[in-house]
Amino acid sequence: MRRGVRLLHRGSLTEETTMYDHRRLGRELDLFDTDPLMGAGLPYWLPDGAVVRHTLEEYVRDAERAAGYRHVYSPVLGKRELYEISGHWAHYSDDMYPPMQLGSEQVVLRPSLCPHHALIYRSRSHSYRELPLRMAEVGAMYRSELSGVLGGLTRVRAIHLNDAHIFCTLEQAVDEARGALELIARAYADLGIRAARYRLSLPGEGGKYVADPALWQRATALLKEVLAESGVVYEEAAGEAAFYGPKIDVQIADAAGREATLSTVQIDFHQPERFDLHYIGADGAKHRPVMVHRSVIGSVERAVAHLVEEHGGAFPAWLAPVQLVVLPVAEEQYERARAVVDAAVARGLRVELAGPEQGSLGARIRAARLVPYQAVIGAREAEGELVAVRLRDGRRPGVLPADVLLHRVAARVAARGAALWE
């Protein structure tokens, strides 16, 4: 059973849905909030929420670096002309903010990072020997969402997207897209979440899509090859494609069964053409690269919302705002507890000291029930530099030397994953 702020006796779907609504939990756990003066759809992050967000972002950056990505920063504004070239202005302007007039130029809050990354690629010449070139960023973008659909972290107006674009040859595109799916699967395992289903999102009726049948056929065929080689069961969904090409969407579901897209993989022939991207091949001639769009955890906001609901606030140890709480039984053990805290901080752990001034030992243990590890120090433990260990899931591994506990906790945090104890 998921663990939340309080235990839930399952009575109805409505009760469970309310229990694990990230909007309620986010406020109860002091993760995030909103203010009407900041505006609807523009949440701010409180310290514990900021820890979760920062840790999640760093996890993704580390995973991307290990997979051969290089990170960039790009501006949140762009000239209107940039989005006219990319096709966003013609096909996506209803979801964009109005242009701002700066002198003789119009600039726009970006709705996407891909045009910026295309320009960064174009700013230097590239040889076929450099490909695949994997470019990643956790960057802000903005969507002009109607106030009626805004809610918590799942539908916001300022989005921080874990985005990446791989510039590669046509022959490399399938392997790169398949590698992106593998990266997504590893991240889900470490985060303790699962995909509800995989969807191949295809164009539907209407004029919101780029009119190039050959482009759509090529990209769709390649994505089907990726899915087949990955052994992924998927469903086709008309009308869910990006305006410039089909995509693989990794769907998640909340307690009420509502689906949302968290991660995506796309193969794009459109924007390399629009931005006249090229590389120099082995023959010395110019060739057009393929652009693989890929997001491991999608928007940070939506990812955190899903993690809050999936775990009921009891995050995996490596992601928890506080990983260890040290509890001296009485004032006499306070100095020893402080020494354990200092040692934990030196190991890079997020630790708090909950002393007798905060109430009885039982009350302090209950207050820290979402913290993965608790170290209780009584008179016997203080004398022997020991700690009585309690785990969030109710297990009690026993009395251990403090340095042994810290070593084991640090190892579990470094290993990531959802397991609390070996």
Side-chain angles (χ1 to χ4, degrees), residues 139-218:
M141 63 185 198
Y142 300 85
R143 301 283 172 88
S144 180
E145 299 276 15
L146 298 175
S147 59
V149 301
L150 298 172
L153 297 178
T154 54
R155 293 295 292 268
V156 294
R157 287 171 169 160
I159 302 165
H160 295 83
L161 188 68
N162 155 235
D163 207 6
H165 297 93
I166 304 166
F167 301 89
C168 61
T169 67
L170 179 62
E171 293 74 23
Q172 294 167 334
V174 168
D175 284 344
E176 290 300 311
R178 186 177 65 246
L181 278 182
E182 292 169 355
L183 194 58
I184 291 167
R186 288 198 297 274
Y188 282 28
D190 287 342
L191 292 166
I193 61 178
R194 62 183 181 83
R197 67 186 177 107
Y198 289 78
R199 186 177 76 189
L200 178 59
S201 295
L202 302 172
E205 299 296 327
K208 74 177 238 185
Y209 303 103
V210 170
D212 189 334
L215 173 154
W216 289 97
Q217 290 169 7
R218 292 175 71 198

Side-chain angles (χ1 to χ4, degrees), residues 2 16 32 45 68 119 127 130 140 142 175 190 198 254-255 262 266 292 337 354 366 414:
R2 295 172 179 169
E16 183 181 2
F32 69 90
W45 297 79
L119 292 184
S127 162
E130 298 175 62
Y142 300 85
D175 284 344
D190 287 342
Y198 289 78
D254 65 13
L262 187 61
Q266 307 167 41
V292 177
R366 288 191 296 275

